[in-house]
C-alpha cells in the first residue's frame, strides 16, 4: 500500500545519513536540499503553496519552526480559519472513531477560536465520512450545566447558539457536557440529559490544550487507543508527528492527510 510519495526537504547530507542509519533506501525519492531546519520549513511551505506537494509532515525539526513557516502571511497557506489541531482516536471501549480538538496548537482558545476549532474538526470528520452525515459535536466542561464562574460552560453554550444561528454549520452540537455524559449514554440518562449528541459524540471539543493533550495521551498510553493527528485550517493538511509516535500512528496520520486532501480536491469540503 502506497499512501504517499515522499519529498524529503532538509540538509541532504543529514537526510542521507539518517536513511543509512535506519537502513532505508531513499534512492527513488526526491530530496530538496536546504541549509538548515528553518530553511526546510520555509521550503516545505513554499512547495505546498505552489501545489507541488499536497501535505506537509514534520520531521526532525521543532513544531514552532514548521508552524511558523505555515502561518506566515506571505507563505500563501493561510485561510480565513484559525490554525487548529485534531486527533482522531480509536479505542475498543467506544464503538466508533472520534475526534479530540484542540490538543496541540491553541493553548487557551477564545470563543471565536473555538468556533474555528469546531468548523475545522467538522470538515475533517466530513472528509472521513463521504456519506454526508452530520457529526455530533460535544463541547466539554467539568459539568453539564452553565455556570457563570466556569468560562468553559459559557463558551459551550455560546457555541451551541452560534450553531442555531448558522454561524457553525453541518453538525449537531451540544454543551456543556462532561466527558462521561458526552460518550456514555447511560451516564447521560442518569443526569436527565436529552440530546442527540450526549452519549454518542463524534467530536469532543476540549476547553484548553492541557485538558485535550492529557485526554488524548491518557487514551493512547493507558487505554491503548490508536491516534492520528492533523493540523487544520491551512490550505494543506499538516502532520505534526512526535518522537513518541510509533510507526502505526505516523501511517494513520498519513492516511488521514490523504483523505482530507482528496476531500478538498474533489470539493466535498472547503
Amino acid at each position: 500500500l502506497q499512501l504517499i510519495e515522499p519529498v524529503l526537504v532538509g540538509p541532504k547530507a543529514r537526510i542521507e545519513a539518517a536513511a543509512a542509519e535506519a537502513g532505508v533506501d531513499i534512492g527513488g525519492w526526491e530530496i530538496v536540499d536546504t541549509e538548515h531546519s528553518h530553511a526546510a520549513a520555509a521550503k516545505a511551505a513554499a512547495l505546498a503553496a505552489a501545489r507541488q506537494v499536497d501535505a506537509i509532515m514534520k520531521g526532525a525539526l521543532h513544531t514552532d519552526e514548521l508552524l511558523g513557516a505555515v502561518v506566515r502571511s506571505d507563505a500563501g497557506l493561510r485561510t480565513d480559519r484559525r490554525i487548529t489541531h485534531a486527533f482522531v482516536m480509536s479505542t475498543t471501549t467506544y464503538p466508533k472513531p472520534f475526534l479530540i480538538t484542540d490538543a496541540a496548537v491553541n493553548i487557551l482558545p477564545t470563543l471565536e477560536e473555538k468556533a474555528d476549532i469546531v468548523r475545522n474538526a467538522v470538515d475533517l470528520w466530513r472528509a472521513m465520512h463521504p456519506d454526508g452525515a452530520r457529526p455530533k459535536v460535544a463541547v466539554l466542561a467539568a459539568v453539564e450545566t452553565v455556570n457563570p464562574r466556569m468560562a468553559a460552560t459559557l463558551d459551550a453554550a455560546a457555541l451551541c447558539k452560534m450553531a442555531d444561528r448558522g454561524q457553525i454549520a453541518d453538525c449537531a452540537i451540544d454543551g456543556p457536557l462532561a466527558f462521561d455524559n458526552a460518550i456514555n449514554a447511560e451516564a447521560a440518562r442518569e443526569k436527565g440529559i436529552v440530546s442527540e449528541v450526549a452519549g454518542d459524540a463524534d467530536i469532543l471539543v476540549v476547553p484548553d490544550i492541557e485538558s485535550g493533550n492529557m485526554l488524548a495521551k491518557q487514551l493512547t498510553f493507558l487505554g491503548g487507543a490508536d491516534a492520528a493527528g492533523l493540523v487544520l485550517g491551512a490550505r494543506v493538511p499538516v502532520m505534526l508527528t512526535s518522537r513518541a509516535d510509533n510507526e502505526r500512528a505516523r501511517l494513520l496520520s498519513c492516511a488521514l492527510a490523504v483523505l482530507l486532501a482528496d476531500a478538498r480536491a474533489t470539493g466535498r469540503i472547503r
Side-chain angles (χ1 to χ4, degrees), residues 126-169:
R126 292 177 61 219
M128 297 166 57
H129 298 80
D131 58 0
R134 295 194 313 158
K136 300 174 182 179
V137 180
V139 187
L140 299 185
V143 296
E144 59 282 339
T145 54
V146 176
N147 185 329
R149 293 177 295 175
M150 301 177 72
T153 68
L154 298 175
D155 284 352
L159 290 169
C160 293
K161 183 52 65 176
M162 291 172 74
D164 289 344
R165 296 291 186 265
Q167 293 172 265
I168 299 173

Side-chain angles (χ1 to χ4, degrees), residues 2-263:
Q2 184 174 335
L3 282 173
I4 62 172
E5 182 179 338
V7 177
L8 306 177
V9 183
K12 184 176 181 181
R14 291 180 59 189
I15 291 172
E16 291 175 338
E21 182 179 350
V24 177
D25 180 10
I26 60 172
W29 299 343
E30 179 182 355
I31 298 179
V32 179
D33 189 22
T34 65
E35 184 178 356
H36 42 62
S37 59
H38 281 289
K43 184 61 177 178
L47 291 171
R51 299 295 189 265
Q52 293 179 261
V53 298
D54 299 307
I56 299 173
M57 173 179 271
K58 184 173 85 74
L61 78 172
H62 197 277
T63 296
D64 288 348
E65 286 183 290
L66 180 57
L67 290 187
V70 170
V71 302
R72 279 179 49 182
S73 59
D74 60 348
L77 291 180
R78 294 299 303 268
T79 68
D80 59 348
R81 295 270 183 89
R82 176 83 177 176
I83 298 293
T84 69
H85 183 275
F87 280 114
V88 177
M89 313 292 298
S90 179
T91 176
T92 57
T93 55
Y94 198 63
K96 57 185 176 180
F98 59 96
L99 276 63
I100 296 175
T101 187
D102 180 335
V105 172
N106 290 280
I107 296 172
L108 189 62
T110 64
L111 174 60
E112 184 179 7
E113 290 164 355
K114 286 180 180 179
D116 269 353
I117 286 171
V118 174
R119 294 178 185 115
N120 288 342
V122 168
D123 278 351
L124 177 58
W125 192 92
R126 292 177 61 219
M128 297 166 57
H129 298 80
D131 58 0
R134 295 194 313 158
K136 300 174 182 179
V137 180
V139 187
L140 299 185
V143 296
E144 59 282 339
T145 54
V146 176
N147 185 329
R149 293 177 295 175
M150 301 177 72
T153 68
L154 298 175
D155 284 352
L159 290 169
C160 293
K161 183 52 65 176
M162 291 172 74
D164 289 344
R165 296 291 186 265
Q167 293 172 265
I168 299 173
D170 300 319
C171 66
I173 184 168
D174 197 7
L177 291 171
F179 180 73
D180 57 348
N181 47 60
I183 55 89
N184 185 280
E186 181 59 31
R189 281 193 293 270
E190 286 291 330
K191 292 289 184 71
I193 300 171
V194 178
S195 163
E196 66 175 306
V197 175
D200 193 34
D202 298 300
I203 299 172
L204 303 177
V205 180
V206 299
D208 52 44
I209 197 171
E210 279 98 352
S211 57
N213 194 273
M214 286 185 277
L215 176 57
K217 288 181 178 177
Q218 285 166 355
L219 288 168
T220 301
F221 288 95
L222 290 178
D226 280 326
L230 286 183
V231 172
L232 310 169
R235 297 194 182 279
V236 298
V238 180
M239 292 161 272
L240 284 188
T241 53
S242 166
R243 284 171 296 191
D245 286 340
N246 57 27
E247 182 180 353
R248 181 173 174 82
R250 296 170 190 268
L251 288 173
L252 289 172
S253 295
C254 287
L256 197 59
V258 170
L259 284 175
L260 184 60
D262 179 71

